[in-house]
Amino acid sequence: MAINILQYSALKTALDSKQITLVAVSKTKPVADIRALYDLGQRDFGENYVQELIDKQAQLPTDIRWHFIGHLQSNKVKYIAPFVHLIHGVDSASLLKEINKQAIKNNRTLHCLLQMHIAQEETKFGLDEQELGLLLQQSYEQVSIDGLMGMASFSNDTNLVSQEFAQLKRYFDAVKAQHPALTSFHTLSMGMSGDYQLAIAQGSNMVRIGSLLFGQREYQQ
Ligand SMILES: *Cc1c(COP(=O)(O)O)cnc(C)c1O
């Protein structure tokens, strides 16, 4: 299925007017689809799998800002460290440590979001409030903590989903208030195709949208 150009243009215009960053989630989609959105001006793209990301990165323009939005294993940080723009799903000190190590090796700062667990489902990754506090006590010279990321429950219950996003916004505001030295802490990545409007209503400033732009995926990842 080809990309939805009208959908893209309308969404991009609406988000730009609110200064919300659109990350186009291109996982499982071919390079040609990414190129088509790129030609319309889109620059932020999100991928979940390291191998898929490095394959695509090598074939596409170098001014694409690649967001890694999946669960990153420490032993794979090295493959994306040379070029990744923002790592969304960081949820452990050991991963941060490895990200810092690879940042130093590549002579750059790596930008990260800490992933919070806000959904009811047990299977999702992410930190609780206490773990977040502990992670923020440490600092790594070449890692920049740019904000928080989270995924709400896969549920039709809009009240539940809104409450989960509101909780994430409270965590975000609390970190800003308690850590004024974190000057780069300004990104709140929440909202996907099915729930981005709810996320924006609760204060999201970065949405990760896949199927709405690229069509349904053959398989869900
Ligand atoms: C796949 C994925 C998305 C995009 O999902 P859609 O429902 O297709 O918009 C957003 N965030 C994460 C972390 C994902 O894995």
Side-chain angles (χ1 to χ4, degrees), residues 25 27 48 69 149 151 192-193 208-211 217 221:
V25 176
K27 62 184 172 196
N48 288 53
I69 64 169
M149 175 267 206
M151 291 167 83
M192 315 187 359
S193 292
R208 309 176 310 271
I209 297 194
S211 42
R217 287 178 292 276
Q221 290 193 359

Side-chain angles (χ1 to χ4, degrees), residues 10 12 21 23 29 40 81 88 99 123 131 192 204 218 220:
K12 181 75 175 134
T21 302
V23 178
K29 296 297 174 183
L40 295 175
H88 288 230
I99 291 170
T123 53
E131 293 165 330
M192 315 187 359
S204 169
E218 296 291 306
Q220 286 289 328

Side-chain angles (χ1 to χ4, degrees), residues 175-195:
V175 172
K176 278 222 269 201
Q178 289 161 18
H179 299 267
L182 280 182
T183 50
S184 62
F185 195 91
H186 44 54
T187 300
L188 181 54
S189 168
M190 60 182 194
M192 315 187 359
S193 292
D195 59 18

